[in-house]
Amino acid sequence: MFDLHRLRLLRELKHRGTLAAVASALSYAPSSVSQQLSQLEAEVGVPLLEPVGRRVRLTEQAEILVAHTEAVLERLERAEADIATSLTELTGTLRIASFQTAALALVPAALGLLRDRHPSLRVHVTHMEPEKSLPALLARDFDLVLAEEYPGNPNPRSAELEQEDLLDDPLHLALPEPVVGPGTDGPMAALRSLADHPWVMEPEGTAARHWATALCRNAGFEPDVRFETTDLLLHLRLVEQGHAASFLPELVWNGQPRTVTLRQLPRGQRARRIFTVVRRGRSRHPAVLACRDALHRAVALDSGRASGKPGN
């Protein structure tokens, strides 16, 4: 019988990449992690790690072990969910990661709803972009992640994760000044009119940047990106003061009046998908169900503010 603790260390190494990262995440000494994995190798009877420069990587046999470990951990998460369901009061800690606009527009309202209905549930929230939070979810640093997907740029779908749609958030071309004159009517023409204007975009390597760059290139120009930040409130301020053009989602206004000139984007590019993600086997946990329900109600409240009508 293999030691489950050591199997989990091997799984952590697959997801975190280095012995040092595993040790840091679990508050162990790197030498302790190495020793435990050496003992696991002795139990299994085959090499599990092989050196690659100064690092190590998993052997084929180690990958097999990790796949079985994932199945065991999924089953244990289902058991944890069943136990929690059997209790009359929802307790424990729920760890959430969210990107900025969802954290500002939806999470506070959802936290209020959770506090009212489940006062004994402790909720931790971390601001983190999906490029980092989704791998961290697989590594079990979080229980639920709020993520986004831009049109025409589907995210990789891990078999170990389960998604649930939350809302479609409209996307807009935000202008530093009104576009007027001949040849500026229509979404593509308005976009082309900003070919020589400075832009603010999210950093290289993010899904938002890939989408925005592709949109500009499809319009026939390479954007002059002078400002890079994941802070969409800073995007908005730069547009408001005439320093840059930007692509802004509706959630950035959080139900408040729009403060810049907006134009419609080309068809098929007009909304990003926002969704929640949990590990497979975790979706029926009462804390996850309660959080997802609170987020859906927060969306209804935000929609009600934007339309001037009360939410459900």
Side-chain angles (χ1 to χ4, degrees), residues 165-184:
D165 286 345
L166 187 58
L167 76 154
D168 288 333
D169 186 24
L171 295 164
H172 308 282
L173 172 61
L175 309 177
E177 55 193 29
V179 173
V180 294
T184 59

Side-chain angles (χ1 to χ4, degrees), residues 80 84 89-96 110-124 143-144 282 285-292 294:
E80 182 184 343
E89 184 178 17
L90 188 53
T91 61
T93 299
L94 181 70
R95 302 162 301 169
I96 300 171
L111 289 175
L113 293 166
L114 283 171
R115 180 186 57 204
D116 293 342
R117 290 194 175 185
H118 307 287
S120 297
L121 178 65
R122 182 182 177 91
V123 183
H124 286 185
D143 301 303
L144 180 143
R282 193 77 174 175
H285 193 287
V288 169
L289 291 172
C291 182
R292 282 178 159 171

Side-chain angles (χ1 to χ4, degrees), residues 173 183 185-196 199 201 210-224 247 264-267 269:
L173 172 61
D185 291 336
M188 193 61 77
L191 185 54
R192 290 194 186 104
S193 72
L194 296 167
D196 297 323
W199 286 80
M201 291 186 180
H210 183 269
W211 167 78
T213 303
L215 194 53
C216 291
R217 288 173 178 168
N218 287 339
F221 68 93
E222 190 70 22
D224 178 11
F247 298 110
Q264 194 174 57
L265 291 175
R267 193 176 302 277
Q269 303 290 332

Side-chain angles (χ1 to χ4, degrees), residues 262-276:
L262 302 178
R263 295 291 292 270
Q264 194 174 57
L265 291 175
R267 193 176 302 277
Q269 303 290 332
R270 296 174 182 173
R272 62 175 176 171
R273 185 172 70 96
I274 297 177
F275 52 96
T276 57

Side-chain angles (χ1 to χ4, degrees), residues 29 31-32 58-59 68 88 116-117 138 141 146 149 158 177 183 194 199 215-216 226 244 249 260-261 267 279:
S31 59
S32 176
L58 276 61
T59 63
H68 284 285
T88 57
D116 293 342
R117 290 194 175 185
L138 279 171
D141 291 340
L146 278 154
E149 185 174 272
S158 170
E177 55 193 29
L194 296 167
W199 286 80
L215 194 53
C216 291
R226 300 190 192 178
V260 296
T261 301
R267 193 176 302 277
R279 289 183 300 279

Side-chain angles (χ1 to χ4, degrees), residues 298-312:
V299 169
L301 288 171
D302 185 73
S303 298
R305 285 198 306 272
S307 64
K309 300 177 182 179
N312 295 324

Side-chain angles (χ1 to χ4, degrees), residues 29-303:
S31 59
S32 176
V33 175
S34 181
Q35 182 182 32
Q36 291 288 318
L37 292 176
S38 294
Q39 291 176 348
L40 180 61
E41 278 190 331
E43 290 177 359
V44 179
V46 297
L48 299 177
L49 305 176
E50 54 188 13
V52 180
R54 296 184 177 181
R55 304 177 64 174
V56 294
R57 67 183 175 195
L58 276 61
T59 63
E60 178 183 352
Q61 292 71 33
E63 294 282 1
I64 293 171
L65 271 181
V66 167
H68 284 285
T69 302
E70 297 282 10
V72 170
L73 294 177
E74 179 190 344
R75 189 73 186 194
L76 289 175
E77 290 207 291
R78 292 182 187 276
E80 182 184 343
D82 288 344
I83 291 172
T85 301
S86 72
L87 301 175
T88 57
E89 184 178 17
L90 188 53
T91 61
T93 299
L94 181 70
R95 302 162 301 169
I96 300 171
S98 175
F99 60 96
Q100 185 195 38
T101 45
L104 288 170
L106 304 176
V107 170
L111 289 175
L113 293 166
L114 283 171
R115 180 186 57 204
D116 293 342
R117 290 194 175 185
H118 307 287
S120 297
L121 178 65
R122 182 182 177 91
V123 183
H124 286 185
V125 179
T126 300
H127 170 210
M128 187 178 292
E129 297 303 311
E131 287 80 12
K132 293 183 178 179
S133 63
L134 290 173
L137 177 66
L138 279 171
R140 284 178 161 73
D141 291 340
F142 300 106
D143 301 303
L144 180 143
V145 163
L146 278 154
E148 60 184 346
E149 185 174 272
Y150 282 80
N153 288 270
N155 298 331
R157 299 296 179 94
S158 170
E160 300 169 34
L161 299 178
E162 298 177 352
Q163 300 183 5
E164 180 178 284
D165 286 345
L166 187 58
L167 76 154
D168 288 333
D169 186 24
L171 295 164
H172 308 282
L173 172 61
L175 309 177
E177 55 193 29
V179 173
V180 294
T184 59
D185 291 336
M188 193 61 77
L191 185 54
R192 290 194 186 104
S193 72
L194 296 167
D196 297 323
H197 203 281
W199 286 80
V200 54
M201 291 186 180
E202 296 199 35
E204 291 281 1
T206 61
R209 177 62 171 271
H210 183 269
W211 167 78
T213 303
L215 194 53
C216 291
R217 288 173 178 168
N218 287 339
F221 68 93
E222 190 70 22
D224 178 11
V225 181
R226 300 190 192 178
F227 311 98
E228 293 183 274
T229 175
T230 59
D231 186 346
L232 293 189
L233 292 180
L234 179 54
H235 285 223
L236 178 58
R237 296 295 175 268
L238 290 169
V239 178
E240 286 174 339
Q241 297 185 27
H243 297 298
S246 180
F247 298 110
L248 291 176
E250 186 68 31
L251 277 184
V252 78
W253 285 278
N254 195 13
Q256 300 302 310
R258 298 168 178 177
T259 55
V260 296
T261 301
L262 302 178
R263 295 291 292 270
Q264 194 174 57
L265 291 175
R267 193 176 302 277
Q269 303 290 332
R270 296 174 182 173
R272 62 175 176 171
R273 185 172 70 96
I274 297 177
F275 52 96
T276 57
V277 193
V278 299
R279 289 183 300 279
R280 193 177 59 200
R282 193 77 174 175
S283 60
R284 303 309 301 172
H285 193 287
V288 169
L289 291 172
C291 182
R292 282 178 159 171
D293 176 66
L295 285 167
H296 280 290
R297 286 188 288 139
V299 169
L301 288 171
D302 185 73
S303 298

